[in-house]
Amino acid sequence: MPLSRSLSMTSLSGVLPAWEEDELPVEDLLLFEVAWEVTNKVGGIYTVIQTKAKITMDEWGENYFMMGPYFEQNFKTQVEACEPPNPAIRKAMESLIHNGCQVHFGRWLIEGSPYVVLFDIGSAAWNLDRWKGDLWHTCHIGLPYHDREANDSLILGSLIAWFFKELTDNLGDKPNVVCHFHEWQAGLGLILSRSRRIPMATVFTTHATLLGRYLCAGNADFYNNLDKFNVDKEAGERQIYHRYCLERAAVHCAHVFTTVSEITAVEANHMLHRRPDVVTPNGLNVKKFSAMHEFQNLHSTSKARIQEFIRGHFYGHLDFNLDKTLFFFIAGRYEFSNKGADIFLESLSRLNYLLQVHKNDVTVVVFFIMPAQTNNFNVESLKGQAIRKQLWDTAHIVKEKFGKKLYDALLKGSIPDMNSILERDDFTMMKRAIYATQRHSLPPVTTHNMLEDSTDPILTNVRRIGLFNSRSDRVKIIFHPEFLSSTSPLLPMDYEDFVRGCNLGVFPSYYEPWGYTPGECTVMGIPSVTTNLSGFGCFMEEHVSDPAAYGIYIVDRRFCSPEETCNQLTQYMFSFCQQSRRQRIIQRNRTERLSDLLDWRFLGRFYVHARHLALSRAFPEKYTMDPITLKTEGYRYPRPYSVPPSPSASVHSTPHHSDEEEDEYNDDEHEPYDEDLEAERDRLNIKAPFVLGAVPN
């Protein structure tokens, strides 16, 4: 029986069969989802719960609630306050409020508009010492006074457990409660609820293990030594033993334990000593365009805006052709090694050398979008944008004068003398504008004034490899140490528009349990580089026969040395630079077609499966699950029928060829290609050779 109309909608244009798991009686259940990031943007979990809200609301309707900490500014700007529709929830909230703890309720103003229950941590802080004692007597886990985040998590967890005790007492036997907890900050609510034997089904998801993130940040050979780490010793040495104990306790207390990728499932099995029951990959809300060319037009529009920024940033040094300039970028938390920025910078140095040696007229501008400590915009960067605007205004004024005189002359039936159509003042104005573009320094590498300029990892490595945006460099670097915003005076673009305007996203992460950045690129039709140590990379390797043909380049960081990884990444980027414009358009079409695999309409099924499994374990007398449904079939894209857009397969052997040569070459039918025909063949040839949900050793 299909779950509901929204969840039975198939992905991949009707190829996936309907979900065969029994429908849950959602009218007899209440679903709660607890995370520190509810209405509070901190990291990737915010994206998970925000994008998943729509499909969960479609399934559960008014019986779905999110829970998290209350932050006044976030509540005022993101939440519409209202009264709880459920009397039992209203009574549970009133019980906490009457005891001096503030609880807020409303609708989160995102797609789906889910209800949120937010707990004011500050109003309950007076209970902290008592709750610390309760935690110690219950679990023998002590929290140090100086760990503010752990203490706040204890307050939140205690309030949530208190709320669920009041709620279940009011509800009685029906409806039953299912609660899904994300990460260790929310896990305290799970631990306390289970220790107090509150009748509810629980699911716990770790998006990344605490110890794994710390070990990888310390440059440990993590994945090749998973079975050799003394986890208690490692956590103690990093002064996170109490956090590690909380995470591990939550994992073992949950009825169902899930994680976001196969690679993280292996990691969790070693770090937390429990094998995940279900793998729940992260998805996105995919909005398909009615015509293929629409997202290509968006790419062109956004690219033009980036080009305007480049004109200002490189004023006085704009001796490269913007029409033959490619925009690469890396974005995310500023974890220099974990996110692969070290490998990326070294590969850029080698790419610069290759482009110079082969006398390639392609220029690569690379953006590093990673928030770091700054005190303001760089004066030189702001000056560049001001000069660009001044030049534009000057050109516009001259154009207006020129156009009016030309128009008047043509009306009189004569061709004007081009030498006299502009006055001396016009030439003076243009010369002044040209002289204003002279600069005696190189274009800045960073757009902001860095507080730790001398020790910043990116800037230190830029100095080491010598990429200072000089005229001879074919690779230019721009470090933007701030998240993008449409209100910025420097680069006024939202992140989504910026990604659409780029040509390639590069994310050679060493530690990336999932990786939303390459997923967002895929949904927007932008090729990307990922690794076989990221959840996204492993997911694509399993689902796509030839990922590179679809614009997903997977770098081997698990079985190769750093030197070999650098060479592989350099080769991917150099090959991409050799593609013609037509090849890049074909590849973007293919990349965008993979977005169906990342749609919550498909991936949301795994969350459904996890909830059903939790109910069958918490209330076996009411809910049963056929063991055969534990295995969830996956789907695999075949290799494209036409030649993949790789220079090695479809173009001349010389390092560079012009677009004109490529068009002439393709006109001779050496590369037959019909986008609609190829898309239809892909849809008709989906394979299902493996099983998702089974966690590897």
Side-chain angles (χ1 to χ4, degrees), residues 19 50 84 91 102 104 170 289 324 339 489 582 610 669 689:
W19 190 239
Q50 182 199 39
K91 288 180 181 178
Q102 293 301 311
H104 301 265
N170 290 325
F289 294 102
K324 292 188 177 181
K339 296 298 182 184
R582 179 177 181 273
E669 297 185 347

Side-chain angles (χ1 to χ4, degrees), residues 476-491:
K476 320 283 187 180
I477 290 180
I478 299 175
F479 179 23
H480 190 280
E482 206 176 65
F483 285 131
L484 296 170
S485 169
S486 58
T487 59
S488 169
L490 199 62
L491 183 54

Side-chain angles (χ1 to χ4, degrees), residues 71-274:
F71 295 98
E72 184 178 8
Q73 184 60 30
N74 294 346
F75 189 83
K76 286 180 177 178
T77 56
Q78 299 182 46
V79 180
E80 179 186 13
C82 64
E83 286 297 316
N86 190 304
I89 291 177
R90 190 183 308 116
K91 288 180 181 178
M93 288 177 56
E94 288 172 354
S95 177
L96 269 69
I97 293 170
H98 289 158
N99 283 278
C101 302
Q102 293 301 311
V103 187
H104 301 265
F105 190 90
R107 281 195 181 273
W108 190 6
L109 300 178
I110 58 173
E111 195 172 6
S113 300
Y115 288 122
V116 290
V117 184
L118 303 176
F119 299 89
D120 190 336
I121 292 172
S123 70
W126 55 278
N127 291 297
L128 179 60
D129 289 337
R130 178 166 62 88
W131 286 339
K132 277 189 177 183
D134 292 344
L135 182 67
W136 174 256
H137 291 302
T138 304
C139 310
H140 294 285
I141 299 174
L143 302 184
Y145 72 91
H146 57 76
D147 190 341
R148 172 74 178 273
E149 188 175 8
N151 291 330
D152 286 350
S153 299
L154 174 59
I155 297 172
L156 177 64
S158 299
L159 290 170
I160 287 171
W162 186 358
F163 174 87
F164 280 131
K165 179 68 171 69
E166 298 289 341
L167 177 66
T168 52
D169 287 348
N170 290 325
L171 290 174
D173 293 335
K174 192 174 181 180
N176 291 125
V177 174
V178 188
C179 192
H180 192 143
F181 298 84
H182 293 268
E183 284 297 308
W184 70 271
Q185 295 99 323
L188 267 155
L190 189 157
I191 297 167
L192 295 171
S193 297
R194 292 282 281 152
S195 67
R196 296 168 188 174
R197 302 185 183 280
I198 297 174
M200 54 191 281
T202 57
V203 181
F204 180 76
T205 296
T206 180
H207 296 257
T209 68
L210 264 172
L211 192 53
R213 192 178 294 281
Y214 273 85
L215 287 169
C216 289
N219 293 321
D221 186 7
F222 182 65
Y223 291 99
N224 292 321
N225 294 284
L226 275 173
D227 57 341
K228 300 180 179 65
F229 288 114
N230 182 336
V231 290
D232 295 298
K233 175 176 175 291
E234 297 289 350
E237 288 179 349
R238 287 158 179 79
Q239 299 183 14
I240 58 165
Y241 188 66
H242 57 289
R243 294 188 180 193
Y244 168 73
C245 289
L246 292 174
E247 181 181 42
R248 186 165 163 180
V251 165
H252 287 270
C253 284
H255 290 105
V256 171
F257 171 43
T258 79
T259 188
V260 296
S261 64
E262 304 285 355
I263 192 79
T264 314
V266 176
E267 172 191 340
N269 195 25
H270 288 90
M271 297 288 110
L272 301 172
H273 301 293
R274 180 175 176 181

Side-chain angles (χ1 to χ4, degrees), residues 343-608:
I343 295 287
F344 188 27
L345 280 165
E346 179 60 35
S347 299
L348 289 175
S349 174
R350 300 179 185 191
L351 175 64
N352 185 54
Y353 172 77
L354 286 175
L355 293 175
Q356 289 173 333
V357 165
H358 291 288
K359 301 190 183 305
N360 201 312
D361 61 353
V362 170
T363 301
V364 177
V365 176
V366 184
F367 290 88
F368 286 76
I369 312 294
M370 291 181 160
Q373 289 188 324
T374 64
N375 59 19
N376 213 329
F377 292 108
N378 188 312
V379 172
E380 191 64 21
S381 297
L382 289 172
K383 180 183 175 183
Q385 299 309 312
I387 288 175
R388 176 194 62 78
K389 188 175 184 306
Q390 181 188 5
L391 275 173
W392 173 259
D393 292 341
T394 301
H396 191 70
I397 291 169
V398 173
K399 182 186 75 171
E400 287 291 323
K401 286 186 177 181
F402 181 91
K404 188 175 184 304
K405 291 182 179 179
L406 179 62
Y407 174 65
D408 289 341
L410 293 176
L411 280 176
K412 296 174 183 176
S414 62
I415 304 253
D417 181 4
M418 293 299 166
N419 294 322
S420 62
I421 200 168
L422 291 179
E423 301 172 358
R424 181 183 295 272
D425 289 344
D426 297 328
F427 285 103
T428 302
M429 185 190 307
M430 289 189 288
K431 287 177 181 178
R432 287 178 61 184
I434 292 171
Y435 290 159
T437 63
Q438 295 179 357
R439 77 193 306 174
H440 303 291
S441 60
L442 294 174
V445 169
T446 179
T447 57
H448 292 60
N449 295 322
M450 303 291 293
L451 290 181
E452 303 292 339
D453 185 287
S454 60
T455 58
D456 181 82
I458 288 178
L459 296 182
T460 300
N461 278 270
V462 166
R463 296 183 190 106
R464 178 182 62 81
I465 62 180
L467 286 180
F468 297 119
N469 295 337
S470 63
R471 292 183 185 275
S472 60
D473 288 333
R474 297 271 50 83
V475 174
K476 320 283 187 180
I477 290 180
I478 299 175
F479 179 23
H480 190 280
E482 206 176 65
F483 285 131
L484 296 170
S485 169
S486 58
T487 59
S488 169
L490 199 62
L491 183 54
M493 296 182 74
D494 286 328
Y495 178 72
E496 180 179 339
D497 295 330
F498 174 79
V499 172
R500 285 194 185 279
C502 289
N503 299 99
L504 182 70
V506 185
F507 315 103
S509 305
Y510 183 78
Y511 187 77
E512 192 71 82
W514 177 249
Y516 255 122
T517 41
E520 288 164 337
C521 287
T522 303
V523 168
M524 296 180 208
I526 303 301
S528 61
V529 177
T530 183
T531 73
N532 59 353
L533 288 181
S534 74
F536 175 83
C538 295
F539 183 81
M540 283 300 173
E541 277 187 319
E542 288 181 317
H543 284 70
V544 184
S545 297
D546 185 3
Y550 287 92
I552 310 292
Y553 299 97
I554 300 175
V555 174
D556 188 350
R557 293 209 63 179
R558 186 168 190 181
F559 304 109
C560 289
S561 67
E563 175 69 18
E564 292 170 323
T565 300
C566 271
N567 288 336
Q568 187 181 18
L569 177 56
T570 304
Q571 186 56 49
Y572 279 151
M573 293 191 295
F574 183 62
S575 297
F576 189 86
C577 291
Q578 288 181 277
Q579 290 182 10
S580 69
R581 181 173 177 273
R582 179 177 181 273
Q583 286 177 309
R584 293 197 300 271
I585 290 172
I586 291 171
Q587 192 175 57
R588 282 198 296 274
N589 287 339
R590 291 177 180 166
T591 303
E592 195 270 345
R593 204 159 61 247
L594 291 183
S595 60
D596 283 330
L597 285 172
L598 303 174
D599 197 331
W600 274 123
R601 290 180 301 166
F602 172 43
L603 299 181
R605 297 166 167 184
F606 301 109
Y607 280 83
V608 174

